[in-house]
Amino acid sequence: MKLNLSRRDFSLTASQMIIGSVTGGSLMSAGSVFAQQKTVNLGTFGGIDAQNYIRAKNAMDKTFGGGTKVDFVTVRAGSEVIAAMAGNSLDMCNLGSSPMVVGYANGVQASLVYIYKNIIDSEALVVQNSAKIKTLADLKGKRVGLPFNTSVHFAALAAFKTAGLGVNDVQLINMRADTIPSAWTRREIDASYIWVPVMPKLVEDGGTIIFKTGDLNNTGLVMFDAFLVRDDFKKKNPELVLAFLKDFEKIAVTFKQNPKDVVDTMTKFLGVDEAAVMRSLNTFYPVTAREQLTDKWLGKPGTKNSSVVKTLQVQAAFLKETGQINALPKDMNGLVDSSFLAQMV
């Protein structure tokens, strides 16, 4: 199974993940009561996300109800999420759509149940001001650094296509995200398609954004992060999945309407500065359950070939072309489950 696809270009195995166990509610007595306690293995990328907000607020009981034990599993790559779900050690987590397709193509039993966020300006193409690149067409023959086999790799090629550029028209250079700023400073690359927090650093160092991932919406593609849920967990604990998604929708409103609370909470919990929290909040675009039930997103239960599915199909073709999967899935609709959304409106 090829699971090296990652938005953050890490290649750690599931056994290297950091697990922090937090018990929701008061301590339960030993014996049959404890045996009946349910456990949720909830993934987080360790940053400013709803999962860590719940953890920082010690709000596990509020989210899942008393008597549910919550293990927060810190991951650093979409490939880790897929590997952990395949090994039954992770139940729910948000991640990019590309690793979801990789997992689905390789038989991982998990479902996309909710859009975590619409990717609009948290990923973008930044060009060196000195390179005199004003449009996408000007990239012909230029050096573009980015991490291969990631969401930005897919977005970059899709963007180039809108300008009539093929993969051989641009000098694509495979680079880890953390090495791009130094290569940029040395002027070894003319442009980079990359995400926050690297992208703002390039802008500050003589760069200009000429294309954002959200611009692909005009081509019919919807770029997003979404919640993936392990199918066996979903089948046995549907009430916990629904409870989490309902609480997430409320937290998403807090992220947008009460940033002071989020900043105060997350700076203390994560030990980061206020600017880092605000960068995350400013590029967080949630999509309501009601809107997700339209064909522009997941559609109602039973909907075929929604915009999300069409995007997943295009990504699958890209992943096969780049050798990340061996064969195209027969029916991408099988990855999407909008039944929980239908219960939220």
Side-chain angles (χ1 to χ4, degrees):
M1 182 184 296
K2 298 178 180 178
L3 291 172
N4 61 325
L5 181 67
S6 162
R7 289 188 63 217
R8 295 160 180 82
D9 202 31
F10 286 91
S11 57
L12 303 176
T13 63
S15 62
Q16 293 173 302
M17 292 185 294
I18 305 165
I19 300 179
S21 176
V22 181
T23 302
S26 58
L27 292 175
M28 301 182 70
S29 59
S32 60
V33 176
F34 184 79
Q36 295 172 4
Q37 184 184 44
K38 292 192 174 185
T39 298
V40 179
N41 296 309
L42 186 60
T44 170
F45 278 89
I48 297 93
D49 57 26
Q51 300 90 297
N52 265 340
Y53 182 78
I54 291 170
R55 193 177 185 183
K57 290 284 191 179
N58 196 28
M60 287 71 70
D61 277 3
K62 177 178 177 294
T63 300
F64 293 103
T68 299
K69 180 174 179 286
V70 183
D71 284 342
F72 289 93
V73 183
T74 301
V75 294
R76 286 176 282 184
S79 56
E80 289 184 10
V81 174
I82 299 302
M85 286 193 177
N88 300 326
S89 60
L90 183 61
D91 299 319
M92 292 191 287
C93 192
N94 60 292
L95 73 161
S97 52
S98 290
M100 290 186 193
V101 175
V102 173
Y104 183 64
N106 285 286
V108 175
Q109 300 297 304
S111 302
L112 188 169
V113 298
Y114 190 100
I115 299 298
Y116 174 76
K117 71 172 182 178
N118 183 9
I119 298 177
I120 296 179
D121 53 9
S122 58
E123 301 175 352
L125 177 67
V126 189
V127 300
Q128 298 267 14
N129 292 337
S130 59
K132 298 184 180 352
I133 301 169
K134 302 298 182 182
T135 68
L136 290 172
D138 295 335
L139 288 167
K140 187 171 185 178
K142 300 295 186 179
R143 302 162 299 175
V144 180
L146 49 77
F148 280 15
N149 304 322
T150 63
S151 60
V152 291
H153 189 185
F154 169 72
L157 294 182
F160 298 161
K161 187 176 180 180
T162 66
L165 298 176
V167 65
N168 295 322
D169 293 321
V170 181
Q171 297 182 49
L172 291 180
I173 304 173
N174 187 12
M175 307 180 71
R176 292 201 322 267
D178 59 354
T179 66
I180 287 175
S182 58
W184 180 274
T185 299
R186 294 192 299 269
R187 305 302 186 248
E188 294 173 354
I189 53 178
D190 302 303
S192 176
Y193 207 126
I194 197 59
W195 47 70
V196 172
V198 177
M199 179 238 298
K201 298 178 182 177
L202 307 187
V203 174
E204 292 171 3
D205 186 14
T208 298
I209 294 172
I210 67 167
F211 192 90
K212 299 174 183 178
T213 292
D215 295 335
L216 290 173
N217 289 348
N218 297 327
T219 70
L221 297 177
V222 286
M223 302 300 294
F224 56 87
D225 285 349
F227 281 113
L228 193 69
V229 179
R230 191 167 57 85
D231 283 347
D232 189 56
F233 179 84
K234 180 184 72 171
K235 180 179 179 181
K236 293 178 179 177
N237 305 283
E239 77 286 358
L240 296 183
V241 177
L242 183 60
F244 173 75
L245 295 180
K246 284 183 175 180
D247 201 38
F248 171 79
E249 188 143 291
K250 295 176 183 177
I251 292 172
V253 173
T254 298
F255 273 31
K256 300 306 290 184
Q257 296 185 0
N258 192 4
K260 184 179 186 305
D261 169 71
V262 182
V263 169
D264 291 344
T265 300
M266 301 311 288
T267 52
K268 295 173 185 176
F269 182 72
L270 296 173
V272 297
D273 59 32
E274 293 185 2
V277 179
M278 286 308 303
R279 276 197 301 268
S280 180
L281 295 180
N282 289 337
T283 57
F284 175 67
Y285 299 96
V287 184
T288 65
R290 188 174 299 278
E291 187 177 356
Q292 289 185 48
L293 283 168
T294 66
D295 289 351
K296 179 183 177 181
W297 292 99
L298 277 68
K300 297 177 181 178
T303 296
K304 300 293 184 182
N305 299 319
S306 64
S307 292
V308 165
V309 170
K310 290 176 182 177
T311 298
L312 295 172
Q313 290 170 337
V314 173
Q315 286 185 308
F318 161 75
L319 292 167
K320 184 176 183 299
E321 182 180 351
T322 56
Q324 289 302 297
I325 58 177
N326 295 322
L328 294 176
K330 292 182 179 179
D331 182 13
M332 196 61 71
N333 290 284
L335 177 58
V336 174
D337 177 4
S338 60
S339 64
F340 294 97
L341 290 169
Q343 298 176 65
M344 295 172 65
V345 299

